[in-house]
Amino acid sequence: MPELPEVETVRRGLNRLVAGATIDHVEVFYPKMVTPDRDEFTAELIGRQIERIDRRGKYLLFRFSGDLTMVSHLRMEGKYDVQAEGSPITKHTHVVFHLKDDRELRYTDTRKFGRMRLVPTGQEAAEMPSLAKMGPEPTEEALTLAYMQTIFGKSHKVVKPFLLDQSRIAGLGNIYADEVLWLSKINPLTPADELTKAQLATLRRNIIEEMALAIQGHGTTVHSFSTAFGEAGQFQNHLHVYGREGEPCERCGTEIEKIKVAQRGTHFCPKCQPLPAAALEAFDRD
DNA sequence: GAAACTGTTTGAAT
DNA sequence: AATTCAAACAGTTT
């Protein structure tokens, strides 16, 4: 489900709803979802206060009193919501954090891909390789053009899966990768090391701006994303290519195509986003 | 009804 | 070392 703007939207909602609340007890209905094991996970959280919720890439970091952090990843379908104590749980609710104020914070996830893990605050990277290797946040300060030139120049990987690699840049997923490539007029099959400096500058600008705009729009709801308040995001109304196969390109009227790139559905305009000649030759030889 | 999709990550294999 | 592919799971679409 969620890419960086959706996770950030959830983070902001949770900070308003549950920061300051104290855990009474926790129920885990799907033990595979938590680390350490269910008994230790539930025992560790009793009586802790939720101080605030941070974010790194697509990970939520729940900061508890006593220097304990819960690292939570929503993967494809994970959702948090807050309900009054005792309201009936649904079929796909897997973890319930009962709060002392007679509310409960619930985690629901139809596909059960999401994971949550307790680590001492400050030890997140030491215990989780994916956090240790995470690339810079897609912001003006963290994602510099010099860094972009360095990492793109070193890889022959095609740009679409390159953008999905969280160790290079944090936060982009399948929707926003397609969107920023369309905005930048770059073909998703272009090898990373064939992008010019000018293209990298354009791509960088669009990544930073698109993430900020999508956060302003409270994320994109195409399947089931909802905010911590149970509301849909709004940014799906601003998508240019994702889910628009067969529709005319907003810039040139050409039909948007959908292809598979590295096993992921990939949407682009064949006219606005042509493959560079060099890449085309390499493609023909295959 | 079967097969192929779906916003992600990982671990194993190459 | 860098990349690719299947697997984790359940629901929806073709």
Side-chain angles (χ1 to χ4, degrees), chain A residues 188-200:
Chain A
L189 291 170
T190 314
D193 59 1
E194 285 180 27
L195 293 176
T196 64
K197 181 176 180 182
Q199 284 180 309
L200 288 179

Side-chain angles (χ1 to χ4, degrees), chain A residues 12-64:
Chain A
R12 292 178 181 189
L14 288 176
N15 263 325
R16 286 176 50 186
L17 287 166
V18 298
T22 300
I23 308 269
D24 183 77
H25 66 287
V26 178
E27 289 178 289
V28 176
F29 302 111
Y30 183 64
K32 273 186 70 175
M33 193 154 272
V34 303
T35 304
D37 67 31
R38 167 158 59 186
D39 288 349
E40 195 177 338
F41 183 89
T42 54
E44 276 291 334
L45 287 173
I46 290 173
R48 304 253 185 190
Q49 183 179 46
I50 305 173
E51 294 178 336
R52 67 172 186 284
I53 297 101
D54 292 332
R55 179 189 59 71
R56 176 76 173 98
K58 302 175 192 172
Y59 289 87
L60 290 168
L61 307 168
F62 289 75
R63 307 299 192 184
F64 292 107

Side-chain angles (χ1 to χ4, degrees), chain A residues 23 29 34 37 42 44 64 73 78 98-99 122 130-131 215 234 238 250 278:
Chain A
I23 308 269
F29 302 111
V34 303
D37 67 31
T42 54
E44 276 291 334
F64 292 107
H73 200 297
H98 296 270
L99 306 177
S130 56
L131 274 176
I215 291 168
Q234 295 302 314
H238 302 275
E250 290 169 28

Side-chain angles (χ1 to χ4, degrees), chain A residues 13-279:
Chain A
L14 288 176
N15 263 325
R16 286 176 50 186
L17 287 166
V18 298
T22 300
I23 308 269
D24 183 77
H25 66 287
V26 178
E27 289 178 289
V28 176
F29 302 111
Y30 183 64
K32 273 186 70 175
M33 193 154 272
V34 303
T35 304
D37 67 31
R38 167 158 59 186
D39 288 349
E40 195 177 338
F41 183 89
T42 54
E44 276 291 334
L45 287 173
I46 290 173
R48 304 253 185 190
Q49 183 179 46
I50 305 173
E51 294 178 336
R52 67 172 186 284
I53 297 101
D54 292 332
R55 179 189 59 71
R56 176 76 173 98
K58 302 175 192 172
Y59 289 87
L60 290 168
L61 307 168
F62 289 75
R63 307 299 192 184
F64 292 107
S65 53
D67 290 320
L68 187 69
T69 290
M70 182 177 80
V71 183
S72 170
H73 200 297
L74 278 31
R75 295 284 184 95
M76 295 289 266
E77 302 261 10
K79 290 166 207 30
Y80 282 99
D81 73 321
V82 180
Q83 298 288 335
E85 183 71 40
S87 48
I89 61 160
T90 66
K91 184 173 163 187
H92 298 296
T93 298
H94 306 301
V95 183
V96 180
F97 303 83
H98 296 270
L99 306 177
K100 285 194 187 291
D101 59 16
D102 292 327
R103 293 180 303 158
E104 46 192 49
L105 170 66
R106 303 158 158 200
Y107 179 75
T108 303
D109 187 341
T110 16
R111 292 177 71 181
K112 300 181 177 167
F113 284 172
R115 292 294 179 264
M116 40 191 87
R117 174 182 190 126
L118 297 179
V119 303
T121 298
Q123 293 300 114
E124 300 82 5
E127 295 206 16
M128 300 188 64
S130 56
L131 274 176
K133 293 188 316 187
M134 178 93 50
E137 293 286 316
T139 60
E140 195 69 53
E141 309 76 41
L143 183 64
T144 64
L145 181 56
Y147 171 77
M148 297 259 299
Q149 289 186 84
T150 303
I151 60 167
F152 280 75
K154 282 198 290 204
S155 175
H156 304 296
K157 200 179 199 176
V158 301
V159 65
K160 170 69 186 280
F162 187 92
L163 289 177
L164 296 178
D165 183 344
Q166 303 298 297
S167 72
R168 282 151 164 154
I169 302 171
L172 291 169
N174 206 40
I175 295 178
Y176 298 112
D178 283 2
E179 292 298 313
V180 298
L181 289 173
W182 181 85
L183 288 167
S184 307
K185 303 185 183 180
I186 294 170
N187 188 286
L189 291 170
T190 314
D193 59 1
E194 285 180 27
L195 293 176
T196 64
K197 181 176 180 182
Q199 284 180 309
L200 288 179
T202 302
L203 182 58
R204 171 176 177 273
R205 172 85 6 246
N206 284 323
I207 289 171
I208 293 167
E209 287 181 0
E210 186 75 351
M211 292 290 103
L213 282 172
I215 291 168
Q216 277 179 35
H218 307 294
T220 295
T221 298
V222 298
H223 297 304
S224 64
F225 170 73
S226 65
T227 71
F229 300 98
E231 296 162 339
Q234 295 302 314
F235 199 71
Q236 62 277 13
N237 303 319
H238 302 275
L239 300 181
H240 303 287
V241 282
Y242 186 87
R244 292 186 173 274
E245 59 270 29
E247 295 181 31
C249 171
E250 290 169 28
R251 279 189 303 242
C252 75
T254 304
E255 270 194 18
I256 299 300
E257 285 184 16
K258 182 179 182 183
I259 60 174
K260 272 265 195 259
V261 179
Q263 285 87 247
R264 308 300 300 276
T266 298
H267 311 71
F268 72 110
C269 171
K271 183 163 178 211
C272 291
Q273 298 169 264
L275 208 52

